[in-house]
Amino acid sequence: MLSRTSWRWWSSSSRRRIQIVSSYTDVLQLLTVPLSTAAASPAGGEGVSHGGPPPIRVALTESAGRAVFATRRIGIGELIHTAKPIVSHPSLSNISTVCNFCLKRLKPIDVSQAQDTRFCSGQCMAQSKAFYEVEKKVDWSTYHNYCRSQSLKYPLLVKRLACMVIAGAVSADCLDILQPEYLSPESISRVEAEYGLLRNALDAAHFTNEDLKFLTKQWYSGMLARVRINAFRIELLGVSAENLVSSAAALLDAEAAVGNAVYILPSFYNHDCDPNAHILWIDNVDAKLKALCNIEEGEELRICYIDASMDRYARQSLLLNGFGFKCSCDRCESGD
């Protein structure tokens, strides 16, 4: 299963509208954790913004489940909203070179510090208490070695989420609102092995049965199923997003990926191979959603989960095998 990633190609073709059958407010009332959906002010230098609540609503559709719609006209290049993750984790290859909380790249002087877990600032260190006080009590070497040997990234997010639940920072059902992936029978044995390693690591750290009562095989598989289909691969631009839409220099390289994260609101955006919106990260894990073209009131906002510069066959294959659906967007239906 692939992480959602960033667009590499786009155009401004017309897009269909889907009848709204439920409201954004109704969905937000279901959330059990804080969610940032603020629209940045123009002074932030991240594109034009009208201030106030984001100009979107989440609604249920007959054909695509939840979706995000514009509540007013959104101009090309406009910052639609920002979002902070529910949970994030650096990739194991970057665990000593990025902030363990916000995933910001560390300066060389920070990397040289003799500590296993690093932060870019005192603020990130303080905010990391939601998981760090639990994580540092545990020997993760076996768990990390297993993930490294199997090229696994999503169990790292579930591990951190478990630590956050133990610390009381989030509820055990905080991701239940997200759509889960179907776990095939052949993947169950692998999931059970991952669960056993996580449980053994926490048991060895002498957490009580009360602390770990939520940590069942069912909980682990449920969280993993949601993480696998909703996680975003975090690719840092490292430069200002100003004029991003018209700048060819903004195209991202695979090496820019520093970790993975799960968000609530961005997970409600559906896919399109010809997207009208884009999710990006400037220098940390805080996500920014920007308009790639003019979007009319009532129009659905969609992002591209993959590299949209690929041909139709490659896109269809990647989306089916990596995300579990056959894309029927206008671009794919036209044969482009």
Side-chain angles (χ1 to χ4, degrees), residues 277-314:
H278 172 49
I279 184 168
L280 67 149
W281 300 268
I282 305 304
D283 62 357
N284 62 30
V285 75
D286 292 346
K288 301 178 187 298
L289 278 292
K290 297 196 74 173
L292 293 175
C293 60
N294 292 326
I295 302 169
E296 300 304 322
E297 180 179 350
E299 185 176 352
E300 183 181 355
L301 284 77
R302 294 193 172 200
I303 60 177
C304 187
Y305 295 173
I306 60 172
D307 181 348
S309 67
M310 296 186 294
D311 62 40
R312 180 181 182 276
Y313 176 81

Side-chain angles (χ1 to χ4, degrees), residues 15 270-276 302-305 308 327 329-331:
R15 297 170 176 82
N270 287 319
H271 166 82
D272 200 302
C273 293
D274 180 20
N276 57 6
R302 294 193 172 200
I303 60 177
C304 187
Y305 295 173
C327 185
C329 71
D330 289 346
R331 184 183 172 201

Side-chain angles (χ1 to χ4, degrees), residues 63-78:
S63 60
R66 283 188 293 253
V68 180
F69 296 87
T71 56
R72 61 163 171 79
R73 189 177 190 274
I74 301 173
I76 182 172
E78 183 176 337

